[in-house]
Amino acid sequence: MMLFQAFTFLYLLNYFHFEHGMIYTWDIISEHFGWMLVWGDYVLVPFFYCLPAWWLLYVPQTLSPVAAAAVSAFFVFGFWLFRGANEQKHRFK
């Protein structure tokens, strides 16, 4: 649960740090693609981000140090991939 909380905090901190990038989503709204954006932001994303926390609450299990390191490495890789893809998108636009 501590890893989940730390990863969620880092993700939110990153969002607020790069909030100026939300300007680039206005093309989605102008192309009438806003329903997907609203549905995803208000329904899908909160639901999927809550799933790991629910699982951690109902199936308490301690991770071995190797498993915690693997989960952390997987998060770092995914975060690097996410930031890199967004940076490429912003440079392209």
Side-chain angles (χ1 to χ4, degrees), residues 55-69:
W55 183 79
L56 288 169
L57 284 174
Y58 291 112
V59 185
Q61 178 181 359
T62 56
L63 289 176
S64 68
V66 174

Side-chain angles (χ1 to χ4, degrees), residues 13-29:
L13 185 68
N14 177 65
Y15 171 79
F16 287 116
H17 183 260
F18 290 102
E19 190 175 12
H20 63 275
M22 288 303 291
I23 294 171
Y24 297 108
T25 61
W26 290 115
D27 60 338
I28 294 172
I29 294 170

Side-chain angles (χ1 to χ4, degrees), residues 19-65:
E19 190 175 12
H20 63 275
M22 288 303 291
I23 294 171
Y24 297 108
T25 61
W26 290 115
D27 60 338
I28 294 172
I29 294 170
S30 68
E31 295 171 1
H32 304 292
F33 204 49
W35 174 248
M36 183 279 308
L37 192 64
V38 170
W39 175 259
D41 286 347
Y42 293 119
V43 177
L44 219 59
V45 170
F47 176 75
F48 282 119
Y49 283 131
C50 290
L51 284 178
W54 288 338
W55 183 79
L56 288 169
L57 284 174
Y58 291 112
V59 185
Q61 178 181 359
T62 56
L63 289 176
S64 68

Side-chain angles (χ1 to χ4, degrees), residues 74-86:
F74 188 63
F75 172 79
V76 168
F77 174 72
F79 197 72
W80 171 77
L81 197 63
F82 165 71
R83 288 290 351 134
N86 276 339

